[in-house]
Amino acid sequence: MDTDSVHSSHSHHSRGSNRHSERSRERHKPRSRDGSNRSDKNVTISTTSAHSAGAEQTPPTTEPQDDNWAETTTAVTGTSDHSLSQEDLAGFGKDSEAPVLKQSWLAFLPLALTLFLGVLVLVTPLAFLLLPQLLWAERLQACGTACEGLFLSLAFKLLILLLAGWAVFLRRPRAALPRLAIFKALLALLTLLLLLSYWLFFGVRILDSQDENYQGIVQFAVSLVDALLFTHYLAVVLLEVRQLQPCFSLCVIRSTDGETRHYNLGQLSIQRAALVVLEHYYKDFSVHNAALLTAAKSRTAKHLAALKVYSVDGPSSDGAASQSRAKMAAAARHKDTSHSELYYEEADHERRVRKRRARLVVAVEEAFTHVRRLQEEEKKKPPGDVMDPREAAQAIFPSMARALQKYLRTTRQQHCHSMDSIQSHLAFCITNNMTPKAFLESYLTPGPTLQYGKECWQVLQWTLVSEAAVTSPLRDGTEFQLKNPDFSLVVSSKAIPHLKISEEYVHPKSHKFVLLLQSETSV
């Protein structure tokens, strides 16, 4: 006969006993530590901000958003008798301070090397033309019209090379990659070897002998510019054209909620593929809402906390183990009825969401109706007395603030929308003469990550975890992860199969037929 009995009690106690049990559970709750293992293949990708390339962001020290805005204060306004006054709302929802960006000289090293190499490329042909004129100008042979044509050709080629190099190499970097780009390094090395070879030939065959044929020297400089133009063409093919043809299909899965997207990419390295995935993530994936992921955990913890174990024989040496086994057995028996609790809980949540949504839609429609009425009245006033859209938004916002705040709380979106962002969006809708439905779309339907404020989603630091080297190209079956403190993106690649299309000729008369009509038929 078992000496332990399990008594399962649910939330039928009074409010005071619930608070007491919650305080006791918090007091006896063990502290958890992050014991995740770090891989030896971890590298970091830092996306650049809008102000500086390769900058790192420190966490902003801002005050948390007040969840009680538009909840406890009521005032009488021109649109509603149960809304909030603008004076009571003025102190909430201040803009967060700009993040502090730390500059690192390592981030500017590739740009400095690119500028140095570009200046060397432009100066070398001009030096080939000027050095003979400065050192032995009296012995140079005049080349006349032929040299003038070569001068004109050289000038335009240098101008084209300058513009083409600026378009390809001097663009603001989108991110600071963890490893060196192989193709860019090879192209820089090839350009440097080309310049050194021409300088070596110029020093041995022209400077030492002081060649008097100036037309040959000019043609030598023109040949260098032609070689540099072909090198730039090679750079365009390797860096831009090669990756245009799709070769791999990437499956990107967010680890917390399982949201999945698929992208087709060309021949890219793993680190550049990770950069493309992050660029698509901010515009394709919905904003990460951690509050929606805690429902199942809280439901399980609530059930386990409601279980009480009583020992009939008193405390014993194996009392803790027996209590643990008893709780596990009770939890296993509870699985048979947990689906019903989940069903009714979700149904109740959907009912409350529909109710809050209906109240929000009605409040917003009434506010926009009031705005239209004010706009008609403003047309009759002098131009100097017309109300600014921002002032109109601040005037009608209290009438819808309570309904909007309750809806955002019910759907667990209150941390994604601050008061200032809502008023700015409202002023934008009023300025562009949008409908109430257009205003509500940003709150009723979850949008992409970039739709929300940066304080809700901006993570400049990502860690790339890959078993293969991040500079190696994508292959069939390549897997890697992009981690940040809240979640990770798991990426797996599949090669797009080779498609073979054959043609089959169909004679134009093969699908024609003749219908013979008889007098006996009814046709």
Side-chain angles (χ1 to χ4, degrees):
M1 178 178 179
D2 295 337
T3 60
D4 296 337
S5 61
V6 180
H7 175 67
S8 175
S9 60
H10 300 282
S11 57
H12 300 291
H13 304 288
S14 63
R15 183 177 303 176
S17 61
N18 281 337
R19 291 178 179 174
H20 178 72
S21 61
E22 289 176 2
R23 286 196 297 268
S24 61
R25 286 196 299 270
E26 289 293 330
R27 186 165 54 250
H28 293 88
K29 185 189 298 182
R31 297 172 180 254
S32 60
R33 296 182 180 178
D34 188 7
S36 58
N37 296 328
R38 295 184 60 186
S39 174
D40 294 333
K41 298 284 186 176
N42 291 9
V43 290
T44 302
I45 294 180
S46 301
T47 56
T48 57
S49 62
H51 299 285
S52 62
E56 298 179 357
Q57 183 189 21
T58 59
T61 58
T62 57
E63 296 181 357
Q65 173 70 22
D66 187 8
D67 292 339
N68 296 323
W69 62 270
E71 181 68 19
T72 58
T73 308
T74 57
V76 178
T77 62
T79 57
S80 174
D81 293 338
H82 301 283
S83 59
L84 302 180
S85 65
Q86 186 60 36
E87 292 79 3
D88 295 327
L89 298 175
F92 299 98
K94 296 181 179 180
D95 291 334
S96 60
E97 298 177 0
V100 180
L101 301 178
K102 298 186 297 183
Q103 303 293 338
S104 176
W105 65 273
L106 291 176
F108 292 97
L109 184 59
L111 180 60
L113 293 177
T114 302
L115 290 176
F116 172 75
L117 191 59
V119 171
L120 190 61
V121 164
L122 295 177
V123 169
T124 298
L126 300 178
F128 289 168
L129 298 179
L130 294 178
L131 287 178
Q133 293 285 352
L134 297 176
L135 298 179
W136 63 93
E138 66 279 357
R139 288 183 296 169
L140 290 176
Q141 298 177 0
C143 55
T145 307
C147 284
E148 294 178 358
L150 292 175
F151 286 153
L152 187 62
S153 174
L154 181 64
F156 276 100
K157 287 180 180 179
L158 282 178
L159 179 62
I160 294 173
L161 184 63
L162 175 64
L163 296 177
W166 167 80
V168 174
F169 296 104
L170 292 183
R171 293 175 293 183
R172 185 175 68 87
R174 297 173 294 176
L177 297 179
R179 294 289 184 267
L180 190 64
I182 300 298
F183 285 128
K184 286 187 177 181
L186 290 177
L187 289 169
L189 182 61
L190 177 62
T191 304
L192 187 60
L193 290 177
L194 179 64
L195 293 175
L196 290 178
S197 302
Y198 268 83
W199 270 110
L200 182 62
F201 184 87
F202 181 78
V204 173
R205 299 296 301 271
I206 297 178
L207 286 181
D208 289 347
S209 62
Q210 293 187 353
D211 191 359
E212 300 177 358
N213 185 9
Y214 192 64
Q215 182 177 357
I217 297 174
V218 176
Q219 290 178 346
F220 178 74
V222 172
S223 67
L224 171 61
V225 178
D226 291 337
L228 292 173
L229 284 174
F230 279 104
T231 304
H232 184 274
Y233 170 75
L234 178 62
V236 172
V237 172
L238 292 179
L239 300 179
E240 303 295 338
V241 179
R242 181 174 176 268
Q243 66 188 32
L244 294 181
Q245 182 180 3
C247 298
F248 300 95
S249 176
L250 266 63
C251 177
V252 185
I253 306 174
R254 189 157 59 187
S255 59
T256 51
D257 55 359
E259 188 172 352
T260 306
R261 295 290 187 275
H262 296 270
Y263 304 106
N264 291 341
L265 297 183
Q267 294 286 351
L268 292 175
S269 62
I270 293 179
Q271 63 178 359
R272 291 196 64 189
L275 178 59
V276 175
V277 167
L278 290 179
E279 291 174 348
H280 285 289
Y281 167 77
Y282 286 110
K283 68 182 183 64
D284 292 342
F285 279 74
S286 60
V287 65
H288 182 259
N289 193 349
L292 297 177
L293 306 174
T294 59
K297 296 181 180 179
S298 63
R299 185 166 51 250
T300 304
K302 181 179 178 181
H303 170 70
L304 293 177
L307 297 177
K308 294 183 180 180
V309 180
Y310 300 94
S311 178
V312 178
D313 297 333
S316 59
S317 59
D318 58 344
S322 60
Q323 289 183 8
S324 178
R325 289 194 300 269
K327 284 189 176 182
M328 292 176 61
R333 289 192 298 270
H334 181 71
K335 289 182 179 179
D336 298 335
T337 59
S338 60
H339 64 280
S340 299
E341 296 180 5
L342 177 62
Y343 170 76
Y344 288 112
E345 182 179 346
E346 290 182 350
D348 182 68
H349 176 71
E350 293 176 358
R351 180 189 62 80
R352 287 188 289 109
V353 169
R354 290 195 300 268
K355 180 179 179 180
R356 302 296 186 192
R357 177 171 178 167
R359 290 181 178 179
L360 176 60
V361 171
V362 172
V364 171
E365 289 180 351
E366 291 179 356
F368 271 74
T369 303
H370 183 67
V371 168
R372 297 192 195 97
R373 185 164 58 249
L374 288 178
Q375 288 177 347
E376 294 178 357
E377 295 177 357
E378 294 292 337
K379 293 179 181 179
K380 304 177 183 179
K381 296 181 180 180
D385 297 337
V386 177
M387 182 180 296
D388 184 77
R390 181 72 180 182
E391 297 177 356
Q394 293 177 354
I396 68 170
F397 177 69
S399 62
M400 67 177 72
R402 182 180 296 277
L404 180 59
Q405 194 270 347
K406 288 185 176 181
Y407 176 80
L408 294 179
R409 274 194 170 186
T410 305
T411 56
R412 298 188 176 120
Q413 301 181 62
Q414 69 273 14
H415 66 283
C416 297
H417 303 279
S418 63
M419 184 176 301
D420 286 346
S421 66
I422 297 174
Q423 290 184 358
S424 299
H425 181 57
L426 181 58
F428 175 79
C429 294
I430 294 175
T431 303
N432 295 277
N433 197 20
M434 294 184 179
T435 61
K437 185 177 181 180
F439 168 76
L440 290 171
E441 188 67 21
S442 299
Y443 310 103
L444 301 182
T445 304
T449 305
L450 282 176
Q451 176 180 329
Y452 301 88
K454 291 185 177 181
E455 63 276 2
C456 297
W457 57 261
Q458 190 173 35
V459 178
L460 295 182
Q461 199 77 13
W462 291 83
T463 302
L464 175 60
V465 183
S466 173
E467 293 184 359
V470 296
T471 55
S472 60
L474 283 176
R475 293 184 176 88
D476 186 20
T478 300
E479 296 180 356
F480 59 92
Q481 292 186 23
L482 288 164
K483 291 185 176 181
N484 65 50
D486 298 328
F487 58 92
S488 63
L489 300 176
V490 182
V491 184
S492 59
S493 65
K494 294 291 183 181
I496 297 178
H498 177 72
L499 304 178
K500 184 178 180 181
I501 303 176
S502 59
E503 180 184 4
E504 180 180 357
Y505 175 73
V506 179
H507 195 275
K509 294 184 179 180
S510 62
H511 56 275
K512 293 183 179 180
F513 61 92
V514 178
L515 179 63
L516 298 178
L517 300 178
Q518 298 180 2
S519 59
E520 291 84 2
T521 62
S522 60
V523 179

